[in-house]
Amino acid sequence: MTKEHDATLAATLNALREAIGDDAVRTGDAIGERSMTDYTRHAPMRPAALLLPRTTQEVARAMMICNDAHQSVVPQGGMTGLAGGAVPRATDIAIALDRMSGVEDIDVASATMSVLAGTTLQVAQDAAAQAGFELTLDLGARGSCQIGGNLATNAGGNRVIQSGTARDQVLGLEAVLATGAVLTSMSRVIKNNTGYDLKHLFIGSEGTLGIITRAVLKLHPQRASRHTALVALDGYDAAVNLLRSLARRFGNDIGAFEIMWPDFFDFGVSLTTEARSPFEHAHPLYALIEHASFDARDDGERFASALGDALDSRAIRDAVIAQSVADARALWAIRECTAEFPSRLDPVNFDVSLSIGEIGRFVDQCRAALDKKWPGNRSYFFGHIGDSNLHVTVDGHSVPGVEHHAIYAFVYAMLGPLNGSVSAEHGVGLLKREFLPISRSPEELAAMRAIKHALDPNGILNPGKLL
Amino acid sequence: MTKEHDATLAATLNALREAIGDDAVRTGDAIGERSMTDYTRHAPMRPAALLLPRTTQEVARAMMICNDAHQSVVPQGGMTGLAGGAVPRATDIAIALDRMSGVEDIDVASATMSVLAGTTLQVAQDAAAQAGFELTLDLGARGSCQIGGNLATNAGGNRVIQSGTARDQVLGLEAVLATGAVLTSMSRVIKNNTGYDLKHLFIGSEGTLGIITRAVLKLHPQRASRHTALVALDGYDAAVNLLRSLARRFGNDIGAFEIMWPDFFDFGVSLTTEARSPFEHAHPLYALIEHASFDARDDGERFASALGDALDSRAIRDAVIAQSVADARALWAIRECTAEFPSRLDPVNFDVSLSIGEIGRFVDQCRAALDKKWPGNRSYFFGHIGDSNLHVTVDGHSVPGVEHHAIYAFVYAMLGPLNGSVSAEHGVGLLKREFLPISRSPEELAAMRAIKHALDPNGILNPGKLL
């Protein structure tokens, strides 16, 4: 940092203190660890300042000052991101909406909730539940992540097959542009064809186009009964056929369809309390399936009967149906072994998406290529295939001396010819920026840059991320 | 038109003929009536030329030539729009994609369809049905309207309560910008967080940002059984309570929830074959409700039982359940009397949306205000209230000497304080452009203009529409 930059920064901070108050502008040690990096633990860095505005108007005033000073700003939510999208540089000013938290109202007639962006997902979920609804957005970090971050990254999570991603839950949005202009589109209506749908531009833009300050979210009726089964399959094509046949029979009452390849499944089983498979034999592929219906009197008989039919016609090899909540938890524990990845592995994580029909071939091809390139590598394949989303984790410990970056580059390069996406749900942030051209054409990137420049002409919002 | 303009136009047309062929550039009488106006019959006008490209590359070449010449271009689909969005001026060049028609493929594994923009909705629907799926987008003009126009206007229609608007059916899109740049984002994946979601920008932008040339659409499983009922209600609050209670019990198996106020209902009944109400008495409000489930063995007993419970608890006043397809058609005929509006009335149509809880009050207030302003006016209120969408039709014959424009201005002015939308599904086009500021703030309009300028710097795409 030059002396000139120091002087400009000092003037900016003074203007900010005057505009939004001394206690809303933190510097130095007053900025806690949380503001320095996200769940990736990527290059922690103390930003030049941390702003803690209380209102949308304060966000707007702060942005106006930063824009005039060409001062870069990094919007931060719960810092649970997995792509480095909210990690600051030493010269950035971070802005966190922790003080803009809470559910503003729940409108039962329109089944909507108006919520401030700094509200944690769990607080919003609980408020919805208390009003007799379900906020269907759900992910592991629910206790820490914030609605603003969920929307800025278009979070995916556990219920996408049934209710879509974060984007699909949004009816209205308020965002502050880099210039300080406030776009208030807090619509509660389902149909609104009055010009460009600006909310979709901010959702998933990772803080590069505006700061989301409030949102109107859709609420869904609560599903009254849930039944879980673990199914053994001949292979990937059988999994897709089962998915389509269950969709024909149950529509979107199928609430989870999680595919686990044997390496992943065996690792998951080894970490459960009983440490043995619910099946007597090993199988080529496993699916964890949830049926969730609105009918409180649904005893799971229809779901069991569908699986029975599948067994009779050899569409599946075997099935275990949970008979209790404890049973269901034990089955889910296998899939949720991913929580142990950070402590047991040196995880190199991929979150890619591909056309559903191509995922099986990609897994075979990817595993063969990894084995050829790095014999002895340990890699785990699993995915929300109903959402076209595949996760791959390569254990860095199994390929000593190999840089993570080399593994990323190797796997992403295989995606390009298949029109795959380098980020299904985690976003691009810092970590995948260099790989973005694998999934986006030069024309698409040029259009994104034109839009970025139109809304943030000085380029102050989250520079170096995404684009 | 000046001589200078004539000379420039002649040069542009020559360049176009050279680029995409003589037979793809029509002028004068070779341009049929269809290209002159849409379903509004608004100011028919023969455009300076009509382009009929065969490929995306030809669209791109044509746009590059028009952009260089600063020549305005009006994209046209099936010309079934209800807002004048595709009506040309004499100085515009129209572009129609009739030759870019057909379903490219249906991908059963990912339950998607790739379709050219000039394909009629019905052709796409039929192809989906033949593959065992349902394309849930549906509207009256299905035989003429084209997928490109459906997406450019974010069409709503008959199935929104169950499956969303046109926007919600799109996974991938290809569009040609004003500059001729081709944005090909023909993704088949459900999750894709790699930068700005450009497709949502083109959907609903009414041809002002780009020309949609292809799309990947979601396909849904076919619903196997449908049951229809007509319900009599105490009033609007009872309707909302019934909507919520049916949603809790059946989720989105509720496929229609059409509310008719008595004036509309009585008019509808008077036009049916029997010309008498299915109910013995008159009631304050009527709802036509459809239950559509994936279960082929669903005999309607659960739906009937839900309505029986509602009757027992006096949540509803009466109910008629269709016992046959003919019965169901007879009930739908009342609601579909709107097809007779153009021949029986001088219809001044409103297609507004409001928060679901506020629609009832708005109807009361609007009717009282209309009666006070124009005693003796005949007005009809009905709506897809599950979609927050209200339609109002004022019969111009009942208020002789009153300009349509005065009626539009009077009703739209009442929407503003309620954060209503002047267009739920029909779009803005030419007809509602002056009323757009009722639903959009100056900041939102400025952001839209900035985006428009970023993607279409010469302002050649559909000038005078929307913004």
Side-chain angles (χ1 to χ4, degrees):
Chain A
M1 270 179 277
T2 64
K3 278 201 176 156
E4 197 184 341
H5 179 269
D6 285 349
T8 311
L9 177 63
T12 303
L13 292 179
N14 281 339
L16 286 167
R17 288 194 184 95
E18 200 157 312
I20 64 171
D22 277 358
D23 75 312
V25 183
R26 292 195 185 157
T27 55
D29 290 344
I31 301 172
E33 297 275 331
R34 202 195 76 172
S35 307
M36 299 185 194
T37 189
D38 65 8
Y39 271 19
T40 61
R41 318 309 306 156
H42 185 85
M45 184 67 76
R46 194 183 306 275
L50 170 66
L51 308 185
L52 292 162
R54 286 170 207 80
T55 63
T56 299
Q57 281 317 314
E58 288 189 358
V59 176
R61 262 178 257 146
M63 290 310 295
M64 244 179 284
I65 290 164
C66 292
N67 192 44
D68 285 347
H70 290 234
Q71 167 63 51
S72 59
V73 174
V74 178
Q76 297 186 331
M79 303 306 279
T80 63
L82 296 167
V87 176
R89 302 169 303 186
T91 52
D92 294 330
I93 289 183
I95 184 164
L97 303 196
D98 299 29
R99 289 172 174 176
M100 293 172 62
S101 168
V103 172
E104 294 186 307
D105 79 75
I106 290 180
D107 178 341
V108 172
S110 55
T112 58
M113 156 187 280
S114 169
V115 63
L116 296 169
T119 313
T120 63
L121 176 57
Q122 182 139 28
V123 165
Q125 285 176 340
D126 290 349
Q130 271 170 32
F133 288 102
E134 189 184 355
L135 178 63
T136 52
L137 183 65
D138 188 39
L139 46 140
R142 66 185 72 79
S144 309
C145 64
Q146 297 177 358
I147 296 292
N150 293 152
L151 300 188
T153 57
N154 184 26
N158 300 335
R159 298 248 174 280
V160 175
I161 190 176
Q162 201 154 58
S163 313
T165 64
R167 179 185 302 283
D168 301 305
Q169 314 312 319
V170 184
L171 290 178
L173 201 73
E174 182 179 80
V176 178
L177 298 185
T179 57
V182 179
L183 298 190
T184 302
S185 316
M186 293 288 279
S187 162
R188 293 177 190 191
V189 305
I190 291 160
K191 286 174 171 173
N192 187 7
N193 280 346
T194 49
Y196 310 156
D197 199 327
L198 299 171
K199 66 175 181 288
H200 283 300
L201 210 46
F202 298 104
I203 299 166
S205 69
E206 305 186 28
T208 63
L209 293 180
I211 298 176
I212 294 169
T213 48
R214 292 197 293 161
V216 177
L217 304 177
K218 283 183 209 170
L219 299 178
H220 298 259
Q222 290 174 334
R223 289 185 183 260
S225 62
R226 287 182 193 277
H227 300 94
T228 306
L230 183 70
V231 169
L233 293 154
D234 270 336
Y236 188 77
D237 290 346
V240 174
N241 290 338
L242 181 64
L243 173 67
R244 289 291 151 240
S245 114
L246 291 175
R248 274 196 301 276
R249 201 144 161 179
F250 298 113
N252 69 351
D253 282 357
I254 298 301
F257 197 89
E258 301 283 311
I259 292 292
M260 297 171 275
W261 275 261
D263 283 353
F264 179 94
F265 182 79
D266 295 342
F267 184 71
V269 163
S270 76
L271 297 183
T272 59
T273 333
E274 299 196 14
R276 61 189 180 85
S277 169
F279 297 114
E280 203 174 334
H281 304 288
H283 296 282
L285 200 68
Y286 303 89
L288 184 67
I289 307 172
E290 191 180 83
H291 175 260
S293 83
F294 292 106
D295 185 350
R297 287 164 299 188
D298 189 330
D299 57 3
E301 195 280 321
R302 288 191 310 140
F303 181 48
S305 142
L307 293 179
D309 292 349
L311 206 53
D312 291 345
S313 68
R314 304 198 179 185
I316 63 177
R317 291 164 69 119
D318 204 350
V320 174
I321 300 179
Q323 301 298 322
S324 65
V325 173
D327 274 5
R329 279 200 190 138
L331 297 181
W332 271 102
I334 301 171
R335 166 62 187 80
E336 288 175 345
C337 72
T338 44
E340 299 286 318
F341 276 11
S343 58
R344 309 240 175 188
L345 317 174
D346 171 27
V348 182
N349 292 321
F350 296 89
D351 153 47
V352 303
S353 63
L354 286 149
S355 165
I356 291 172
E358 286 172 335
I359 290 180
R361 270 197 309 278
F362 178 78
V363 169
D364 295 343
Q365 178 198 342
C366 184
R367 182 181 297 282
L370 283 167
D371 287 348
K372 190 172 169 199
K373 175 97 174 168
W374 294 298
N377 79 86
R378 284 188 301 274
S379 303
Y380 306 93
F381 291 79
F382 60 105
H384 326 285
I385 71 143
D387 316 339
S388 52
N389 187 182
L390 174 73
H391 291 294
V392 185
T393 296
V394 179
D395 183 2
H397 293 322
S398 69
V399 285
V402 178
E403 294 276 343
H404 285 197
H405 185 271
I407 302 171
Y408 284 123
F410 185 71
V411 171
Y412 286 137
M414 278 183 263
L415 266 184
L418 296 167
N419 280 317
S421 162
V422 297
S423 172
E425 58 184 358
H426 296 167
V428 174
L430 277 174
L431 300 190
K432 292 175 212 158
R433 196 177 161 215
E434 69 171 296
F435 301 110
L436 192 55
I438 291 173
S439 299
R440 294 296 206 158
S441 68
E443 292 81 7
E444 289 176 292
L445 293 171
M448 290 183 205
R449 281 193 203 99
I451 291 163
K452 165 76 173 171
H453 185 72
L455 296 185
D456 177 13
N458 296 338
I460 65 164
L461 266 173
N462 223 3
K465 313 287 168 50
L466 182 53
L467 281 176
Chain B
M1 270 179 279
T2 64
K3 278 201 178 159
E4 197 185 341
H5 179 269
D6 284 350
T8 312
L9 177 63
T12 304
L13 292 178
N14 281 340
L16 285 167
R17 288 195 184 96
E18 200 157 314
I20 64 172
D22 278 358
D23 75 312
V25 183
R26 293 195 185 160
T27 55
D29 291 344
I31 301 173
E33 297 275 330
R34 202 194 78 176
S35 307
M36 300 187 195
T37 189
D38 64 8
Y39 271 19
T40 61
R41 318 310 305 159
H42 185 84
M45 185 67 76
R46 194 185 305 274
L50 170 66
L51 309 184
L52 292 162
R54 285 171 207 82
T55 63
T56 299
Q57 282 317 314
E58 288 189 356
V59 176
R61 261 179 258 147
M63 290 309 296
M64 242 179 283
I65 290 164
C66 292
N67 192 44
D68 285 347
H70 289 235
Q71 166 63 52
S72 59
V73 174
V74 178
Q76 298 187 330
M79 302 307 278
T80 65
L82 295 167
V87 176
R89 302 169 303 186
T91 51
D92 293 330
I93 288 182
I95 184 164
L97 304 195
D98 300 29
R99 290 173 174 175
M100 293 172 61
S101 168
V103 173
E104 295 186 306
D105 78 76
I106 290 180
D107 178 341
V108 172
S110 54
T112 59
M113 159 188 279
S114 168
V115 63
L116 294 169
T119 313
T120 64
L121 176 55
Q122 182 140 28
V123 165
Q125 285 176 341
D126 291 349
Q130 272 171 30
F133 289 103
E134 190 183 355
L135 178 63
T136 53
L137 183 65
D138 188 38
L139 47 139
R142 65 184 76 77
S144 309
C145 65
Q146 298 177 358
I147 296 293
N150 293 153
L151 302 186
T153 57
N154 185 26
N158 300 334
R159 299 249 174 279
V160 175
I161 191 176
Q162 201 155 56
S163 312
T165 63
R167 179 185 302 286
D168 300 304
Q169 314 313 320
V170 183
L171 289 178
L173 200 73
E174 181 178 81
V176 178
L177 298 185
T179 57
V182 179
L183 298 190
T184 302
S185 316
M186 294 287 281
S187 161
R188 292 176 191 193
V189 305
I190 291 160
K191 288 174 168 172
N192 187 7
N193 280 346
T194 49
Y196 309 158
D197 199 327
L198 299 172
K199 68 174 178 285
H200 283 301
L201 209 47
F202 297 104
I203 299 167
S205 69
E206 305 186 28
T208 63
L209 293 179
I211 298 176
I212 295 170
T213 47
R214 292 196 294 158
V216 178
L217 304 176
K218 283 184 209 170
L219 299 177
H220 298 259
Q222 291 175 334
R223 289 186 184 261
S225 62
R226 289 183 191 275
H227 299 95
T228 306
L230 182 70
V231 169
L233 293 154
D234 270 335
Y236 189 76
D237 290 346
V240 173
N241 289 339
L242 181 63
L243 173 67
R244 287 293 151 241
S245 114
L246 290 175
R248 273 195 300 277
R249 202 143 159 178
F250 298 113
N252 68 352
D253 281 356
I254 298 301
F257 196 89
E258 300 283 311
I259 291 292
M260 296 171 275
W261 275 262
D263 284 352
F264 179 93
F265 181 78
D266 295 342
F267 184 71
V269 163
S270 76
L271 297 184
T272 59
T273 332
E274 300 196 13
R276 60 190 181 84
S277 169
F279 297 116
E280 204 173 334
H281 304 289
H283 297 283
L285 200 69
Y286 303 89
L288 184 67
I289 307 172
E290 190 180 85
H291 176 261
S293 83
F294 292 107
D295 186 350
R297 287 163 300 188
D298 190 330
D299 57 4
E301 195 281 320
R302 288 191 309 140
F303 181 48
S305 143
L307 293 178
D309 292 351
L311 207 52
D312 292 345
S313 67
R314 303 197 180 186
I316 63 178
R317 292 163 69 119
D318 205 349
V320 174
I321 301 179
Q323 301 298 321
S324 64
V325 173
D327 275 5
R329 279 200 191 140
L331 297 180
W332 270 102
I334 302 172
R335 166 64 186 80
E336 288 175 345
C337 72
T338 44
E340 299 286 317
F341 276 13
S343 58
R344 308 237 177 192
L345 316 174
D346 170 29
V348 182
N349 292 320
F350 295 90
D351 153 49
V352 304
S353 63
L354 286 148
S355 164
I356 291 171
E358 285 173 335
I359 289 179
R361 269 198 309 279
F362 177 78
V363 170
D364 295 343
Q365 178 198 340
C366 185
R367 183 182 295 284
L370 284 167
D371 288 348
K372 189 170 170 202
K373 176 97 174 167
W374 294 297
N377 79 86
R378 286 188 301 274
S379 303
Y380 305 94
F381 292 78
F382 60 105
H384 326 286
I385 71 146
D387 315 340
S388 53
N389 186 181
L390 174 71
H391 290 293
V392 185
T393 296
V394 179
D395 183 3
H397 293 321
S398 68
V399 286
V402 177
E403 294 275 343
H404 285 196
H405 184 271
I407 303 171
Y408 284 124
F410 185 72
V411 172
Y412 285 138
M414 281 183 261
L415 266 184
L418 295 168
N419 280 318
S421 161
V422 297
S423 173
E425 55 184 0
H426 296 167
V428 175
L430 278 173
L431 301 191
K432 293 177 210 157
R433 194 176 163 215
E434 70 172 296
F435 303 110
L436 193 55
I438 291 173
S439 299
R440 296 296 206 158
S441 69
E443 292 80 8
E444 289 176 291
L445 293 171
M448 288 183 207
R449 281 195 203 97
I451 291 163
K452 165 75 175 172
H453 186 71
L455 296 185
D456 178 12
N458 295 338
I460 65 163
L461 265 172
N462 223 3
K465 313 290 169 47
L466 183 52
L467 283 176

